[in-house]
Amino acid sequence: PGLCICPEDHGKCDNNVCVPNDSFCDGNNDCGDGSDEKEGCNDCLAKMRFSGSKGICDGIEDCPNGEDETVELCGCPTDHFHCSDLSNQANDTNICQPMERLCDGRKHCQSGADEDFKYCISLGSKTDMMENTGLEPAGNNFGIMKVRFKGVWYQYCMTGWKEYMGVAVCSVLGFNSLSVAIPQSPNGEVTDIGYLATGIKSPPCSTIYLVCQD
């Protein structure tokens, strides 16, 4: 068979020989190189890999303990996140979380990283929000104040802004002090963050342009 695909109900050995699936881990060296009798060959995932199964990482648990669908093996879907990617703690909550759980006001990760300020508040442009593969936004020290709610970034808009609020924002973003805080009339329709979950149209509000200092 060389480098060709093996026939149905056959698995491919390390030396590219095809043998029947029921020959895998049967105590006989059917491959000739011993690759069908490796240590741990009775493992469900090992059998699936040998047979070239398309069931690995297909969203359906074929193995009794779900070994074929673990986060470590398959990663998370694009609209999900994994707590350990946020917290850098290997023992954090080991499931893929839907993106709408990020910054929703409830801690879904054991570490609480999904509600950490650094993932939920940032400064940036009115339209774009730059963030790394770990969902952490760029650490800008100036820009329109933005908040993430249920996985989505919004311009922060409110009435009654006070300067001490800007001091607090700069502090949680890791800066030493506030330089400038300018309430602005938003261009286009912007919703007061307090109204996002209500479905009620918010009264007029101001977006906030901040400049923080190290």
Side-chain angles (χ1 to χ4, degrees):
L3 298 177
C4 298
I5 297 174
C6 290
E8 188 176 356
D9 297 325
H10 284 62
K12 182 178 288 189
C13 309
D14 289 353
N15 59 5
N16 290 318
V17 171
C18 294
V19 299
N21 287 337
D22 57 11
S23 297
F24 183 73
C25 208
D26 64 353
N28 298 313
N29 182 8
D30 301 283
C31 288
D33 64 353
S35 57
D36 58 320
E37 302 297 327
K38 292 180 179 178
E39 183 178 353
C41 62
N42 274 314
D43 176 76
C44 173
L45 184 58
K47 292 180 179 179
M48 292 183 70
R49 282 173 165 159
F50 180 79
S51 66
S53 173
K54 295 181 180 179
I56 299 175
C57 298
D58 66 348
I60 300 173
E61 293 185 354
D62 299 288
C63 292
N65 297 315
E67 305 96 303
D68 57 312
E69 299 296 329
T70 63
V71 173
E72 293 79 8
L73 178 66
C74 307
C76 290
T78 54
D79 57 348
H80 287 64
F81 67 93
H82 195 257
C83 293
S84 62
D85 291 336
L86 305 184
S87 66
N88 292 317
Q89 297 177 15
N91 61 346
D92 208 347
T93 306
N94 191 29
I95 61 172
C96 291
Q97 305 276 3
M99 193 61 71
E100 57 264 27
R101 291 184 176 179
L102 183 58
C103 305
D104 68 348
R106 297 176 57 194
K107 293 182 179 180
H108 301 280
C109 297
Q110 183 177 345
S111 65
D114 55 313
E115 298 298 324
D116 193 306
F117 286 124
K118 70 180 180 181
Y119 296 111
C120 303
I121 301 176
S122 188
L123 305 177
S125 72
K126 294 180 179 179
T127 54
D128 299 324
M129 177 56 68
M130 301 295 293
E131 55 187 24
N132 61 25
T133 55
L135 299 176
E136 185 174 356
N140 298 326
N141 74 316
F142 65 92
I144 296 292
M145 181 178 169
K146 306 188 83 168
V147 294
R148 182 165 12 209
F149 180 64
K150 293 188 174 181
V152 179
W153 285 105
Y154 296 90
Q155 293 185 59
Y156 185 82
C157 193
M158 68 168 295
T159 57
W161 175 264
K162 304 296 182 182
E163 185 170 334
Y164 73 85
M165 299 176 182
V167 174
V169 171
C170 289
S171 177
V172 300
L173 291 177
F175 299 104
N176 291 327
S177 62
L178 169 68
S179 177
V180 175
I182 306 174
Q184 299 177 332
S185 297
N187 294 325
E189 185 174 342
V190 178
T191 301
D192 186 316
I193 190 69
Y195 286 78
L196 282 176
T198 67
I200 302 173
K201 183 177 177 64
S202 71
C205 56
S206 299
T207 56
I208 313 298
Y209 180 86
L210 295 176
V211 178
C212 301
Q213 289 184 326
D214 289 326

